[in-house]
Amino acid sequence: MNVRWVRRGAALFFLLFVLAVTWPGMLPFNRIHPLILGLPFSMFWIALWVFCSFLVLLLVDRVEAGARKEDE
Amino acid sequence: MMARWQLITIIIGLYLAITLGIGLRAGKRASKSVTGYVAGDRSFGLLVMYFIFGATMFSAFAFLGGPGWAYSRGAAAFYILSYGILGMAPWYWVGPRAARVGRRYGFVTQAQLLVGRFPSRPLTALMAVLTVLAFIPYITLQMRGAGIVIEAVTDGHIPLWLGAGMAYGIVIIYVLSSGVAAVGWTNTFQGIVMLVIAWTLGIYLPMRMYGGVGAMFTEIAAQRPELLTSPGLTATGESWSWGGYSTAILVSAIGVSMWPHLFMKAFAAKDEDTIRRTVVLFPTFQLFLIPVFIIGFAGVLFPESPGEPDFILPFLILRSDLPALVVGLFCAGALSASMSTGDALLHAGASVAVEDGIRPFRGLDDRQQRVLMRWLVLAMGAIAYFFALYEGVSLVVLLLSSYGIIAQFTPPLLSALYWKRATTPGVMSGLLAGSAVTLFFFFQGHLRPLDLHEGILGLLVHIPVLVIVSLLTQDPNPGQTEEFLRTAQGSARSTA
């Protein structure tokens, strides 16, 4: 996969992350029910973004590491 | 039969002894040089870096303050869960850049990097002063946290002054003898203790008190629903504003990686891949805030309440009839959180004071620098200890405001590494203007529009000033700038 696209994708993801946990992006998800894994939805929503960051960064690292190898 | 508090004291003693042992051993391998003392000979691997970032970032504030916020302010605490990785993710690219120029030019502090690109003695002095000012209240809070926990779990048999003195006596011994190597290896141990204990208690307490995490939140939703949706409450129990909540996330995300004790670890990493992997793995550490908040929420419906919300964790622990072993372990977790941040702060504060505040003005050889750093570790420890014993609320407020100041380090450092047109006068005037605006709105809080964080208001002035003044002035030495940026970029084409 192209490094440039992955970087843009990651930047977009983290931008959406910021919008999704601040005003006004958080408003639609700022609710107690349904409880997920026992957590209020609002808390689960933020935790979900944190967890997805991990997956996105794993992908970024794979692609970037591949590109660095090609360079050498 | 031994008294309960004695058993707990023995567990705490064991924990402290192990920490001291690890800290002293760590120094055996480090070289006797400034690079060895401050940047660990640039040899930190992934395991150590992971726990340095995790354990250093989540201090006594997260371990004791986190449950306290969840308990008294509800979802306001969620801002702490939101910002960590947002602030760390750019570090995947910024960190290796900083490391490359650090290696090439021999930098061990943030200000050295900045001054390497923008030569100016007032700039390095300003950075040193702001760093030390931001650190003192931070260290004080860590010490108080340690003292309070020990006093609480030993039923007052070990008072605050003695508990804080013991814990930080040990920190000072290993920081003095082993420098950053001790910080790294003890943080690894402390990080593991923190993670295990937070997750264990976060699941165990709601099970024991409510029959499960879901059952607990169902009950809170029925009785105190206002606690479960953002932006939660203020310290006085009114609704917090969305403006305040959202900009708290923003300013923390912008500032978090600029804390000198974290930034400087880019110079301690073994290689660039280590920095990158530390960033990738960071969210897994951050999620430990979930059990930390659950512990705080567990106290919401508890009939009695502690005098101060920050004590909810020791309060619950002591009143739920837990075995002494669990109480002792909890205490070890809280001490870990406090000491893993406190040691990094003492070490980085002294290093910055010497490298950026004194050395540019008076010639010092390598050995003199190391001696002076050790004296400053002692001095900063002593000052913080003094405040820890005679402190009022004002320090918490100072700490929160220091985030606004630290966030002002972001534009100059990013300009140094990325923006060719940035000039010394531009960076200097931006930093001064941004810090001045931040301080103004800190002292005149009621003038802030929409309850926005003063650090964000500072940045709104800082960035235009930096850009405009830079464009109006000339770089006196474009060749050197080009060389600097080429080094930052590295040889690989893909880092362009």
Side-chain angles (χ1 to χ4, degrees):
Chain A
M1 223 182 305
N2 188 308
V3 177
R4 179 161 300 184
W5 283 105
V6 169
R7 279 185 198 175
R8 280 186 196 161
L12 183 66
F13 169 83
F14 284 106
L15 186 69
L16 288 175
F17 184 167
V18 174
L19 295 176
V21 299
T22 52
W23 186 88
M26 173 121 185
L27 291 176
F29 311 97
N30 191 24
R31 43 199 286 176
I32 301 174
H33 295 286
L35 296 185
I36 298 184
L37 299 171
L39 303 175
F41 192 80
S42 51
M43 188 171 168
F44 170 78
W45 172 249
I46 301 168
L48 182 69
W49 280 96
V50 175
F51 183 74
C52 289
S53 307
F54 176 50
L55 301 181
V56 166
L57 287 167
L58 275 179
L59 177 74
V60 167
D61 194 50
R62 270 190 88 96
V63 175
E64 294 250 354
R68 280 195 298 274
K69 235 181 216 141
E70 266 171 40
D71 259 10
E72 278 158 14
Chain B
M1 178 71 195
M2 205 188 317
R4 191 176 145 87
W5 73 269
Q6 286 168 321
L7 186 58
I8 296 172
T9 308
I10 291 175
I11 298 172
I12 298 171
L14 267 177
Y15 159 78
L16 290 175
I18 295 174
T19 307
L20 180 63
I22 294 173
L24 290 180
R25 256 186 74 89
K28 297 230 166 82
R29 274 173 294 176
S31 73
K32 294 213 181 321
S33 67
V34 169
T35 312
Y37 190 78
V38 180
D41 298 320
R42 308 186 197 277
S43 69
F44 281 5
L46 181 61
L47 179 79
V48 174
M49 286 287 284
Y50 175 73
F51 283 106
I52 283 189
F53 272 84
T56 307
M57 199 178 292
F58 298 112
S59 59
F61 174 69
F63 208 86
L64 298 173
W69 271 56
Y71 168 76
S72 62
R73 304 182 56 175
F78 295 170
Y79 106 78
I80 308 172
L81 178 63
S82 308
Y83 72 77
I85 186 59
L86 280 176
M88 286 299 297
W91 202 244
Y92 185 93
W93 294 277
V94 179
R97 275 190 176 234
R100 276 179 221 129
V101 291
R103 211 173 279 272
R104 165 87 157 67
Y105 297 97
F107 303 143
V108 290
T109 71
Q110 230 164 347
Q112 286 173 348
L113 188 160
L114 207 51
V115 174
R117 166 79 200 273
F118 307 113
S120 156
R121 295 215 293 189
L123 185 58
T124 175
L126 181 65
M127 292 280 289
V129 169
L130 290 177
T131 302
V132 173
L133 279 184
F135 272 14
I136 295 274
Y138 205 165
I139 301 170
T140 304
L141 281 179
Q142 305 307 322
M143 280 191 185
R144 254 186 96 73
I148 284 166
V149 166
I150 295 180
E151 177 172 311
V153 300
T154 58
D155 299 331
H157 283 97
I158 302 182
L160 196 154
W161 66 267
L162 183 59
M166 277 181 352
Y168 275 80
I170 284 173
V171 165
I172 284 180
I173 292 173
Y174 68 65
V175 170
L176 285 180
S177 79
S178 309
V180 78
V183 174
W185 285 104
T186 52
N187 280 11
T188 305
F189 170 64
Q190 291 158 336
I192 294 169
V193 173
M194 275 166 79
L195 282 184
V196 170
I197 289 174
W199 281 102
T200 313
L201 286 179
I203 294 167
Y204 176 80
L205 279 179
M207 285 293 277
R208 191 180 164 105
M209 296 169 66
Y210 299 87
V213 175
M216 176 181 91
F217 279 117
T218 308
E219 230 168 288
I220 297 175
Q223 298 189 35
R224 300 282 310 276
E226 74 278 11
L227 288 177
L228 297 186
T229 51
S230 299
L233 308 178
T234 63
T236 47
E238 294 132 46
S239 301
W240 198 13
S241 67
W242 272 109
Y245 177 88
S246 303
T247 48
I249 293 176
L250 284 181
V251 83
S252 310
I254 293 170
V256 70
S257 61
M258 291 297 148
W259 277 99
H261 58 296
L262 292 171
F263 190 102
M264 284 163 64
K265 299 304 178 290
F267 304 128
K270 189 173 68 186
D271 53 29
E272 293 164 19
D273 274 344
T274 306
I275 299 177
R276 296 191 186 100
R277 305 244 155 87
T278 308
V279 176
V280 173
L281 291 175
F282 183 78
T284 62
F285 202 108
Q286 192 182 346
L287 288 172
F288 109 111
L289 287 169
I290 293 174
V292 163
F293 292 159
I294 289 176
I295 295 168
F297 280 119
V300 167
L301 302 177
F302 209 66
E304 307 160 73
S305 66
E308 267 188 72
D310 284 358
F311 302 153
I312 183 65
L313 188 47
F315 180 83
L316 273 183
I317 299 276
L318 289 171
R319 269 164 197 66
S320 2
D321 255 347
L322 295 172
L325 180 70
V326 179
V327 178
L329 288 177
F330 148 73
C331 188
L335 287 178
S336 294
S338 157
M339 291 163 73
S340 59
T341 307
D343 59 7
L345 289 166
L346 278 171
H347 172 268
S351 304
V352 167
V354 172
E355 289 298 301
D356 305 332
I358 299 173
R359 195 165 68 102
F361 303 91
R362 299 188 67 124
L364 292 171
D365 66 29
D366 202 270
R367 200 190 62 85
Q368 286 171 317
Q369 289 173 51
R370 279 178 286 130
V371 171
L372 199 55
M373 275 173 201
R374 288 181 163 91
W375 279 109
L376 278 167
V377 166
L378 262 180
M380 288 182 69
I383 294 170
Y385 184 64
F386 175 80
F387 282 127
L389 300 187
Y390 303 97
E391 181 253 346
V393 191
S394 54
L395 283 169
V396 183
V397 182
L398 272 178
L399 177 62
L400 291 178
S401 74
S402 58
Y403 243 106
I405 296 284
I406 296 296
Q408 308 303 322
F409 289 179
T410 307
L413 280 155
L414 289 184
S415 312
L417 291 169
Y418 284 94
W419 194 38
K420 198 172 133 200
R421 268 305 273 121
T423 64
T424 310
V427 165
M428 191 72 193
S429 44
L431 190 56
L432 282 174
S435 308
V437 171
T438 305
L439 286 173
F440 172 78
F441 281 110
F442 169 65
F443 289 111
Q444 302 291 328
H446 59 282
L447 293 177
R448 289 174 300 143
L450 299 170
D451 200 27
L452 299 180
H453 192 287
E454 59 270 13
I456 292 290
L457 296 168
L459 287 171
L460 287 177
V461 174
H462 183 155
I463 296 168
V465 169
L466 192 164
V467 171
I468 292 168
V469 176
S470 289
L471 291 176
L472 289 177
T473 46
Q474 288 298 320
D475 186 346
N477 202 340
Q480 197 186 330
T481 303
E482 210 141 288
E483 165 85 25
F484 188 95
L485 286 175
R486 234 194 338 264
T487 309
Q489 207 170 314
S491 54
R493 186 169 38 85
S494 60
T495 46

